[in-house]
Amino acid sequence: MIVYRTYGLTLESNEPIAGLVAIDALPVDCTIRFGELPPIIDAYCFAYADKTRFVVARDGSAIWCTWETTAEDAATYLLGPILAFVVRLRGALALHASAVLVDDRAIVFAAPPGGGKSTLAAAFARRGHAVLADDVVRLEPGRRAYSPPISAGAPEPADYKSAIP
């Protein structure tokens, strides 16, 4: 099993997840099983047009996934809407946004798809600011912003710096 930390969650997966960096084992919040679906259970089901399917346990403690395209495509759904949904199930708010660090403060850019969130984060990266999150930003009640490390589905910093001429 491979363990990852992203969006404030510790994940254990039976397969590598593109875009994440494995860590040493920690207590696990959510298990992910690629290539299988559970027996019929009371759960949330997500079916995409490309035949990628996810089943999420009602408490967000487990995710199952099958796909007919590539594991990388499945990871894109997992690191975006699926984990954002799990974050929400666990009581935090997940924004479709990017975040950067400026003067020890997080600045969050929320917009619809194609609204320029990643481009704006890349522009800040070119000016030497850390990119905290791309695509999903987690906010918890009663706390200031919490964002995942850049390995959480975001391109590597070098990719950001080359994204803006």
Side-chain angles (χ1 to χ4, degrees), residues 118-119 122 126 158-165:
S118 296
T119 302
R126 277 193 61 115
D159 292 337
Y160 272 110
K161 291 182 180 176
S162 65
I164 301 292

Side-chain angles (χ1 to χ4, degrees), residues 87-106:
V87 164
R88 187 66 192 115
L89 284 176
R90 299 176 71 84
L93 177 63
L95 300 177
H96 183 216
S98 293
V100 297
L101 186 64
V102 177
D103 296 330
D104 292 325
R105 292 189 176 263

Side-chain angles (χ1 to χ4, degrees), residues 5-64:
R5 181 99 180 134
T6 189
Y7 305 135
L9 301 170
T10 302
L11 310 172
E12 181 182 70
S13 176
N14 65 333
E15 297 287 337
I17 300 174
L20 295 181
V21 176
I23 63 167
D24 291 331
L26 292 171
V28 173
D29 297 309
C30 181
T31 59
I32 301 170
R33 298 293 174 261
F34 286 100
E36 60 187 79
L37 292 177
I40 296 175
I41 61 170
D42 183 26
Y44 299 99
C45 299
F46 298 82
Y48 292 91
D50 65 1
K51 299 189 179 173
T52 301
R53 301 204 179 337
F54 288 90
V55 175
V56 178
R58 290 258 175 209
D59 63 358
S61 65
I63 301 170
W64 297 265

Side-chain angles (χ1 to χ4, degrees), residues 67-160:
W67 64 91
E68 292 188 14
T69 56
T70 67
E72 290 78 17
D73 288 344
T76 299
Y77 294 125
L78 175 71
L79 293 175
I82 300 301
L83 282 178
F85 184 75
V86 170
V87 164
R88 187 66 192 115
L89 284 176
R90 299 176 71 84
L93 177 63
L95 300 177
H96 183 216
S98 293
V100 297
L101 186 64
V102 177
D103 296 330
D104 292 325
R105 292 189 176 263
I107 298 175
V108 177
F109 312 114
K117 300 173 298 297
S118 296
T119 302
L120 194 52
F124 273 84
R126 277 193 61 115
R127 287 164 181 79
H129 299 285
V131 175
L132 299 174
D134 187 38
D135 197 45
V136 176
V137 173
R138 176 185 172 145
L139 301 175
E140 294 187 43
R143 290 185 63 186
R144 298 181 89 115
Y146 170 83
S147 298
I150 195 163
S151 63
E156 293 298 316
D159 292 337
Y160 272 110

